[in-house]
Amino acid sequence: MEFIVPGRGRRPLPAVFAAVLMLLVVVLAGCGKDDSVNEPHEAFANVEVDYARAIRASTAEVTGSELVSLELTRPESADPVWVSRVATQQGEVHTVRVDAVLGDVLGTSTAGTGTDGLTAAELTARLDEATVLPDEAAREARGSTDGPVTAIRLDQQGDTVVWAVDVAGLQGEETKTHVVDARTGEVLRRG
């Protein structure tokens, strides 16, 4: 290869400069193709602890508690964390943070009684109605999809207590929320 230097004519292009230029072209040609947010297998590469293990760690941390909600935060980062809310039989709610790489409990705090506008009595009644465990609901909701479960929360739709389960989409698909009857395990709605 040659290049033209003003006032000096044509000169050979140094091999190092040519190699750097070629490398730059290759790197720039690949920009935008590795969007980890749209590739769950890459976006969740650091997540070693699945939802079921995070549930077990959370409920073991607070004696006699049951899961109210669980959410994976920062899945694409080097330090993803599962954040759960668990409630005791008295309706006392605790937030438990679980390392999504190693499974260690990072911390626990008391969030008070009741949650999401529910009194302690309403929350415990809802938990009592939920005979299907959250990890069972997540398995039912996930079905044959390949995406990872990213959130589970106890909710109510009309008179029915449900588990709302978020499953990350694959290859650019959006996260879908599936609704599972918390009494029967029947999938009521696929996101």
Side-chain angles (χ1 to χ4, degrees), residues 116-132:
D116 298 329
L118 297 175
T119 66
E122 291 168 329
L123 176 59
T124 56
R126 187 176 285 180
L127 285 166
D128 287 344
E129 287 185 54
T131 56
V132 173

Side-chain angles (χ1 to χ4, degrees), residues 50-138:
D50 70 353
Y51 65 90
R53 188 167 159 204
I55 291 169
R56 287 192 304 272
S58 298
T59 55
E61 181 68 12
V62 179
T63 304
S65 66
E66 294 181 62
L67 187 79
V68 176
S69 66
L70 176 75
E71 181 178 7
L72 180 62
T73 60
R74 302 186 322 261
E76 70 288 342
S77 73
D79 56 348
V81 174
W82 286 104
V83 178
S84 69
R85 293 174 66 92
V86 296
T88 65
Q89 293 176 345
Q90 295 75 32
E92 185 175 75
V93 178
H94 299 263
T95 300
V96 181
R97 296 176 61 244
V98 178
D99 182 326
V101 178
L102 301 173
D104 299 331
V105 173
L106 301 172
T108 304
S109 61
T110 303
T113 56
T115 185
D116 298 329
L118 297 175
T119 66
E122 291 168 329
L123 176 59
T124 56
R126 187 176 285 180
L127 285 166
D128 287 344
E129 287 185 54
T131 56
V132 173
L133 296 174
D135 54 333
E136 293 171 2

Side-chain angles (χ1 to χ4, degrees), residues 6-28:
R8 293 195 175 168
R10 293 180 180 255
R11 303 266 180 191
L13 187 61
V16 172
F17 182 71
V20 169
L21 183 62
M22 292 300 287
L23 180 63
L24 184 61
V25 168
V26 169
V27 168
L28 290 177

